[in-house]
Amino acid sequence: QVQLVESGGGLVQAGGSLRLSCAASGSIFRFNVMGWYRQAPGKQRELVAVISSGGSTNYADSVKGRFTISRDNAKNTVYLQMNSLKPEDTAVYYCNFKTVGNNDWGQGTQVTVSS
């Protein structure tokens, strides 16, 4: 099992920026996908962005051009740089770690964007 510790959420005005971090520890298989999902009140959890251990990325259409996902494999840490934030980005953001036999989630960090 993998433990995930998130940080970086908070309150920001529309147009502002935040950077989320998620550090993984435990039984980390070399080949994995780390990423971020979010869940707004009354809505289903949705993919925001993911990045493989090889560096391949995938973004939700709603965040393309505004968010950037990156990772430091030496630190087993994934980052999400969020720019030009909108009120509709308000949600709890969850870190996710996937590999063969594992699908682990962080505890979530709140991101609130005020208009």
Side-chain angles (χ1 to χ4, degrees):
Q1 193 170 2
V2 173
Q3 293 76 46
L4 302 170
V5 178
E6 301 147 335
S7 60
L11 172 64
V12 66
Q13 287 189 334
S17 298
L18 283 174
R19 188 190 193 212
L20 305 182
S21 299
C22 173
S25 62
S27 301
I28 297 174
F29 187 61
R30 178 181 176 185
F31 301 104
N32 58 72
V33 176
M34 295 185 72
W36 295 92
Y37 292 70
R38 67 187 181 188
Q39 187 166 17
K43 294 189 177 181
Q44 288 191 332
R45 191 174 296 187
E46 62 177 5
L47 179 145
V48 177
V50 293
I51 183 168
S52 72
S53 48
S56 298
T57 59
N58 187 34
Y59 293 90
D61 287 343
S62 59
V63 307
K64 283 180 181 176
R66 300 188 297 123
F67 292 10
T68 302
I69 191 168
S70 61
R71 64 186 290 164
D72 184 335
N73 287 336
K75 296 181 179 179
N76 293 315
T77 300
V78 64
Y79 307 95
L80 185 68
Q81 178 66 43
M82 304 186 292
N83 298 328
S84 302
L85 282 160
K86 305 175 181 179
E88 50 264 43
D89 294 318
T90 295
V92 177
Y93 283 68
Y94 295 92
C95 180
N96 178 256
F97 179 95
K98 282 191 181 72
T99 188
V100 176
N102 266 19
N103 185 22
D104 296 294
W105 295 92
Q107 78 282 4
T109 185
Q110 177 70 45
V111 171
T112 302
V113 184
S114 62
S115 57

